[in-house]
Amino acid sequence: MREKKLIFWLLGLAFALCAALAGLVLLQGSRLRTLRENAPAAISSPQDDAPVSTTPENSAHLTAAFELTPAGTDETKGTATAEITLRLWEDQVDAAVKLLIEAGEKTVSVPLEQSANRTYTAPVTLALPDKQSREDTPVSLTVEVEEGGVLSRERLWEYPNSLFMTTTLRTDLKEGGMTYVRKSLPTPGVGLMRINPECRLTVMDVDESVAIKDPAFRLYCNGELIKSLPAVEDETGRNLYGPQTWDNALVCRNGDWVNLSFSCTGEDGRFYEFPLETARIAHGQGEVTSRLMPPAVS
C-alpha cells in the first residue's frame, strides 16, 4: 500500500513539474513577443549581409528637421536642383549621414556634409516629370546614419513625382496636430486618432503667408486616404486654418500607421499636400512625430 501511495505521489509531482515547465515556456514566449514588438527601430550592423529594413514598422526616429530650398531648374536637361538641410534628434559627431533617394527602380545615395551648427547639407538634382508623356515617377526619401559600426535608417516621405523640388511653399504649424484617444470598447487595441480642435496652420512662401483655396486636412491609415476634412479659416488671423469641429477623428487599431497632411490649391492653380505628422499605434498608445516636409505637388 505504501509503495502504491509513493508511486501516485511521484506521478503527481512529475505532472506538477511538467505543468510548471509548460507555463514557463509560454511565459518566455510571451516575453519574446513583447520584446520584438517594443524593439527600437531599424538598427543593424553594416557587416551583416542582410539589408537594413526601411519599412515604416521598423523605421527609426532620427530626423528632427528637414528642409529643402529650390536652387533652380534646367529646362534643357529637364532637371531641378535643391539644397537639402537636415538636423538629427541626437548629435552624432562622428556619424556618416546620407540621403537615399529612390526614383522608380533607381536609388541614389547622397552624402551629407556636417556644418558648424550641426546640421547636414548637400545639393540634390532630380529629373522632373516628362511633360510630353505626363508619366510620374514616384520618389521616396530615406535618411541613413552610420556611427560606430551601427547603421540606422528612417523613411521620411514618399512623393508621387519630383515636383516637390521646385516649390518654396511650406506650412507653419502653430498648434498641432493629432492626439490619440483610447476608446472604451469591448474590442481591445481600438482607439481614435483625432485632429486637435486647437490645431492651426498657415501656408508660407518664404516668410510671408499666402492665400490658398480648398483647404483640407487629410487622415491616412496604413497609406490609404480615409478622410478628407474641409478646413476653416480662423477668425483671429488671415490665412490661418483649423479643422472642423465635427468628424475629425479616425478609428485605428494596434499596429496601424496614421499620417496627417494638409492639402490646398495654390494661387498658381497647382494642388499641394503638406505632410504634418505621423503616428504608430502600439499597445493602446499613439506616439505622434512631427513630419514637416516639402509638399507633394500636382
Side-chain angles (χ1 to χ4, degrees), residues 10-36:
L10 291 174
L11 288 174
L13 179 61
F15 178 78
L17 289 174
C18 289
L21 181 60
L24 180 60
V25 170
L26 291 174
L27 178 62
Q28 291 299 326
S30 175
R31 288 178 175 176
L32 287 174
R33 285 193 298 272
T34 302
L35 286 173
R36 282 195 295 268

Side-chain angles (χ1 to χ4, degrees), residues 59-79:
S59 181
H61 293 310
L62 302 173
T63 309
F66 181 92
E67 295 180 4
L68 182 149
T69 305
T73 60
D74 188 323
E75 296 292 341
T76 303
K77 296 180 180 179
T79 59

Side-chain angles (χ1 to χ4, degrees), residues 69-189:
T69 305
T73 60
D74 188 323
E75 296 292 341
T76 303
K77 296 180 180 179
T79 59
T81 301
E83 183 76 14
I84 299 295
T85 303
L86 180 147
R87 181 167 52 84
L88 301 177
W89 280 111
E90 297 181 3
D91 292 333
Q92 303 184 47
V93 179
D94 298 324
V97 181
K98 299 178 181 179
L99 181 69
L100 306 182
I101 304 173
E102 298 175 50
E105 298 180 353
K106 183 179 180 181
T107 300
V108 178
S109 177
V110 181
L112 301 180
E113 183 178 348
Q114 187 175 14
S115 61
N117 58 355
R118 296 183 178 179
T119 59
Y120 296 84
T121 61
V124 171
T125 300
L126 292 180
L128 292 172
D130 192 319
K131 293 181 180 179
Q132 294 182 348
S133 65
R134 296 184 179 180
E135 292 184 358
D136 288 337
T137 300
V139 178
S140 66
L141 305 179
T142 300
V143 172
E144 179 181 274
V145 179
E146 181 182 348
E147 184 181 36
V150 177
L151 193 66
S152 304
R153 287 180 183 172
E154 177 184 20
R155 177 67 61 88
L156 293 177
W157 208 257
E158 297 183 5
Y159 294 90
N161 54 50
S162 56
L163 288 176
F164 69 93
M165 295 277 292
T166 65
T167 178
T168 58
L169 296 186
R170 297 294 182 269
T171 53
D172 182 12
L173 190 61
K174 310 291 184 181
E175 298 285 346
M178 293 190 295
T179 300
Y180 180 79
V181 181
R182 182 182 295 180
K183 294 185 68 177
S184 300
L185 294 176
T187 306

Side-chain angles (χ1 to χ4, degrees), residues 187-241:
T187 306
V190 177
L192 289 175
M193 184 63 75
R194 69 180 181 89
I195 307 174
N196 295 329
E198 65 274 13
C199 175
R200 297 292 183 273
L201 63 80
T202 298
V203 176
M204 307 289 292
D205 190 352
V206 188
D207 295 327
E208 296 184 2
S209 67
V210 295
I212 57 172
K213 300 177 182 179
D214 307 319
F217 290 91
R218 291 185 158 202
L219 281 168
Y220 291 81
C221 186
N222 302 323
E224 180 182 357
L225 177 61
I226 304 299
K227 288 188 176 184
S228 181
L229 309 169
V232 292
E233 192 166 12
D234 194 275
E235 297 177 355
T236 62
R238 182 172 175 268
N239 298 336
L240 184 64
Y241 294 90

